[in-house]
């Protein structure tokens, strides 16, 4: 599967995708590829320049296993793969349907609320709560319609929200 993005150069020297919202490009993989990918999926980022007959690879990345956590991916010369010439900020993941995101957000907030209801003590698993909070960060790719803020604002039978439980 190939996808082409047109890039534009900003005044600060960075290159960003043109014609995509928030710098995010969605590529839908065919179901046949996904069903046969028992060992996972990988991709390679290539930056090409136009040529007379075909495009020419300018820089390439090493193969990247999907999902790729947000970060900087090294780019190497297409002619000399040992020569690092640039980096690209990249995040590649699977996009869940809106319905799945709503269920996931509610479930994660419920896990957090359940943990916050437990009396604080030295054995309380703060790491698990931090993982839930990390997963619910906006930069993790949540759709605005997934209702993460609404899940946090929901109150229990005593009118307490997740924030109220955290303060108590």
């Amino acid at each position: 599967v190939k996808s082409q993005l047109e890039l534009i150069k900003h005044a600060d020297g960075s290159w960003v995708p043109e014609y995509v919202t928030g710098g995010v490009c969605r590529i839908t993989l065919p179901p046949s590829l996904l069903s046969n990918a028992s060992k996972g999926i990988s991709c390679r980022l290539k930056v090409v320049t136009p040529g007379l007959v075909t495009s020419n690879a300018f820089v390439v990345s090493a193969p990247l296993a999907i999902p790729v956590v947000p970060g900087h991916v090294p780019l190497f010369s297409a002619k000399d793969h040992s020569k690092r010439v640039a980096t690209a900020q990249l995040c590649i993941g699977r996009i869940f349907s809106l319905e799945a995101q709503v269920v996931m957000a509610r479930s994660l907030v419920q896990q957090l609320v359940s943990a916050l209801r437990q009396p604080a003590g030295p054995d309380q698993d703060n790491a698990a709560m931090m993982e839930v909070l990390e997963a619910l960060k906006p930069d993790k790719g949540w759709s605005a319609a997934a209702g993460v803020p609404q899940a946090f604002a929901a109150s229990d039978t005593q009118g307490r929200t997740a924030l109220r439980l955290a303060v108590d």
Side-chain angles (χ1 to χ4, degrees):
V1 175
K2 289 186 179 185
S3 179
Q4 180 175 328
L5 293 174
E6 300 291 327
L7 300 176
I8 56 172
K9 189 173 184 178
H10 280 222
D12 65 2
S14 64
W15 292 83
V16 295
E18 187 177 34
Y19 306 121
V20 292
T21 305
V24 175
C25 174
R26 182 178 180 160
I27 300 168
T28 304
L29 299 176
S32 59
L33 176 65
L34 294 173
S35 65
N36 292 323
S38 61
K39 294 184 180 179
I41 300 173
S42 66
C43 72
R44 181 179 295 239
L45 181 64
K46 286 184 180 181
V47 177
V48 297
T49 58
L52 294 176
V53 179
T54 61
S55 59
N56 302 305
F58 176 59
V59 294
V60 297
S61 71
L64 306 165
I66 295 175
V68 175
V69 296
H72 295 279
V73 174
L75 298 175
F76 302 92
S77 167
K79 294 181 181 179
D80 181 1
H81 291 279
S82 65
K83 184 178 178 187
R84 185 174 171 168
V85 294
T87 59
Q89 189 171 355
L90 188 64
C91 175
I92 302 173
R94 293 186 177 177
I95 298 178
F96 293 99
S97 69
L98 176 59
E99 295 79 15
Q101 286 190 37
V102 169
V103 170
M104 290 168 56
R106 287 182 185 159
S107 174
L108 287 167
V109 170
Q110 286 174 355
Q111 287 177 35
L112 184 63
V113 167
S114 178
L116 289 170
R117 283 194 178 122
Q118 303 302 316
D123 60 336
Q124 187 176 9
D125 189 8
N126 288 332
M129 286 191 285
M130 293 308 292
E131 286 179 17
V132 170
L133 287 171
E134 182 68 27
L136 288 167
K137 282 185 172 180
D139 67 352
K140 297 299 181 192
W142 294 97
S143 167
V148 174
Q150 291 82 356
F152 272 111
S155 58
D156 63 9
T157 56
Q158 297 175 349
R160 298 178 300 176
T161 65
L163 179 59
R164 180 76 256 166
L165 286 168
V167 170
D168 292 344

